[in-house]
């Protein structure tokens, strides 16, 4: 089988098989990652989980785990503490642990964002060994353009290096943000952020879908994909979007821009359980299995 990735040379010889196993498990051999994002419990507090047009199922944190357990996902991303509370009942889920998180209460107008680490890689490795859970990857958010970017870049660099030393995959959330950033969705700036992720050595980078004249542009995204080189690009799913439009956008990100997956949270978990499963499976089919938009829509419609 032709591998869809290259093992970076910072992975020690005795950890290469584990790294390869984690990559194959996370992407099901496709090279594309379907990341189910469940880290918003911190990032957006309860705004994403309770309110108008949000299913009552979503008010309970276990809704996230129930979806990740029953649907097709590459990894389920959340904080270690939440995984520790529920993971014992959901041992088959492939996990990604976020190393840092912050709330959205302090606005950029008040202070540039700082997203300091919660855990060291050794903490994740010890937790993985003690829990026996399927922890395949770690993630870290960097806000380039923040006056605190130096700290986040340093912590991200160390996290990638140490994660690879233990055979773990890495995903870097790379978001331009701060008083110096005039347009967070600028295609050229987002491409620059993807290039920084490559310099940090990450396996994947999660970026925002760039906009041209106020609209998401798969053609513009291609600049970021090229800038990232061997670091694979996945796009954030954003706020809830009409299903067919979401699936078409995801198709274009992959087949026009050359992205290698997606990171979807609200568009999945804000739906009732059964619908969330169908939509998750539709996204996975399009992303990992190479299905068409029509085929994915049929999966969603049941």
């Amino acid at each position: 089988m032709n591998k869809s990735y290259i093992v970076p040379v910072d992975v020690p010889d005795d950890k290469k098989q584990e790294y390869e196993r984690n990559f194959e498990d996370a992407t099901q051999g496709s090279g594309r990652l379907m990341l189910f994002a469940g880290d918003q419990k911190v990032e957006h507090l309860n705004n994403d989980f309770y309110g108008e047009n949000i299913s009552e199922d979503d008010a309970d944190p276990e809704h996230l785990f129930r979806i990740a357990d029953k649907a097709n996902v590459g990894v389920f991303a959340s904080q270690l503490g939440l995984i520790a509370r529920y993971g014992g009942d959901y041992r088959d889920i492939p996990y990604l642990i976020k190393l840092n998180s912050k709330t959205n209460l302090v606005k950029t107008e008040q202070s540039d964002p700082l997203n300091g680490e919660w855990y060291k890689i050794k903490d994740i490795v010890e937790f993985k060994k003690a829990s026996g859970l399927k922890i395949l990857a770690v993630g870290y958010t960097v806000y380039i353009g923040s006056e605190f970017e130096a700290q986040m870049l340093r912590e991200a660099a160390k996290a990638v290096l140490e994660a690879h030393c233990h055979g773990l995959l890495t995903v870097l959330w790379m978001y331009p943000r701060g008083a110096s950033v005039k347009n967070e969705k600028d295609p050229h700036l987002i491409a620059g952020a993807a290039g920084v992720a490559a310099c940090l050595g990450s396996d994947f980078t999660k970026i925002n879908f760039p906009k041209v004249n106020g609209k998401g542009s798969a053609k513009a995204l291609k600049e970021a994909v090229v800038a990232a080189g061997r670091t694979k690009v996945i796009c954030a799913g954003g706020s809830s979007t009409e299903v067919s439009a979401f699936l078409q956008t995801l198709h274009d990100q992959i087949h026009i821009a050359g992205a290698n997956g997606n990171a979807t949270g609200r568009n999945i978990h804000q739906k009732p359980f059964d619908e969330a499963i169908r939509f998750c499976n539709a996204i996975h089919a399009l992303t990992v299995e190479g299905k068409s938009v029509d085929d994915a829509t049929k999966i969603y419609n049941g």
Side-chain angles (χ1 to χ4, degrees):
M1 179 178 62
N2 293 325
K3 290 192 297 188
S4 57
Y5 59 93
I6 295 173
V7 179
V9 295
D10 57 358
V11 177
D13 287 343
D14 64 342
K15 291 296 181 180
K16 284 182 178 178
Q17 284 190 344
E18 183 172 351
Y19 175 93
E20 291 179 330
R21 187 164 55 248
N22 287 338
F23 207 108
E24 293 291 338
D25 286 350
T27 66
Q28 283 91 61
S30 70
R32 293 176 181 161
L33 180 65
M34 191 283 185
L35 186 152
F36 175 36
D39 57 321
Q40 303 99 339
K41 295 291 288 186
V42 175
E43 304 294 337
H44 302 159
L45 299 176
N46 222 33
N47 294 338
D48 284 352
F49 300 90
Y50 184 89
E52 188 177 0
N53 298 321
I54 298 175
S55 168
E56 291 183 2
D57 292 347
D58 210 14
D60 183 351
E62 192 166 5
H63 180 58
L64 298 169
F65 290 83
R66 293 176 65 222
I67 295 168
D69 185 54
K70 296 299 183 185
N72 295 323
V73 302
V75 291
F76 168 54
S78 192
Q79 292 81 12
L80 186 151
L82 196 65
I83 293 170
R85 300 303 303 182
Y86 293 91
D89 292 331
Y90 297 95
R91 293 189 167 275
D92 293 331
I93 295 174
Y95 290 104
L96 176 151
I97 295 181
K98 279 299 300 291
L99 298 172
N100 66 338
S101 289
K102 62 176 284 297
T103 75
N104 59 359
L105 289 178
V106 178
K107 306 303 181 185
T108 304
E109 295 77 16
Q110 298 172 262
S111 175
D112 272 12
L114 171 61
N115 207 342
E117 66 183 10
W118 289 16
Y119 316 106
K120 302 286 188 182
I121 294 297
K122 66 177 181 64
D123 300 321
I124 307 305
V125 172
E126 290 172 1
F127 176 68
K128 178 179 180 179
K129 185 182 298 183
S131 67
L133 295 178
K134 293 174 58 178
I135 299 167
L136 308 184
V138 295
Y140 186 101
T141 299
V142 177
Y143 296 120
I144 65 164
S146 167
E147 64 179 302
F148 304 108
E149 72 169 20
Q151 176 182 334
M152 290 177 278
L153 288 169
R154 183 171 59 251
E155 291 178 359
K158 290 181 178 179
V160 170
L161 178 61
E162 292 173 12
H164 284 170
C165 285
H166 291 281
L168 294 169
L169 305 182
T170 60
V171 180
L172 294 182
W173 280 235
M174 297 296 300
Y175 297 145
R177 192 164 298 170
S180 67
V181 177
K182 305 309 178 186
N183 178 7
E184 295 180 5
K185 301 295 180 66
D186 175 73
H188 194 57
L189 183 55
I190 287 175
V196 173
C199 293
L200 292 167
S202 188
D203 303 297
F204 291 87
T205 181
K206 176 181 179 236
I207 59 175
N208 281 320
F209 191 31
K211 290 186 176 181
V212 176
N213 297 324
K215 295 183 178 181
S217 170
K219 185 176 179 180
L221 176 62
K222 191 166 187 177
E223 182 186 350
V225 172
V226 174
R230 291 179 177 176
T231 292
K232 294 174 181 285
V233 169
I234 61 177
C235 278
S239 57
S240 289
T241 305
E242 192 272 327
V243 166
S244 61
F246 183 94
L247 293 174
Q248 185 63 55
T249 295
L250 176 55
H251 173 275
D252 293 348
Q253 289 171 352
I254 293 172
H255 295 284
I256 294 177
N260 281 279
N262 68 285
T264 309
R266 287 167 281 182
N267 276 279
I268 294 171
H269 65 68
Q270 288 183 346
K271 294 175 170 58
F273 177 68
D274 290 341
E275 184 181 359
I277 295 294
R278 297 198 313 274
F279 193 44
C280 203
N281 289 344
I283 294 171
H284 183 275
L286 196 156
T287 303
V288 176
E289 301 168 31
K291 300 293 186 182
S292 67
V293 173
D294 286 345
D295 288 338
T297 302
K298 290 175 183 176
I299 291 171
Y300 170 72
N301 289 331

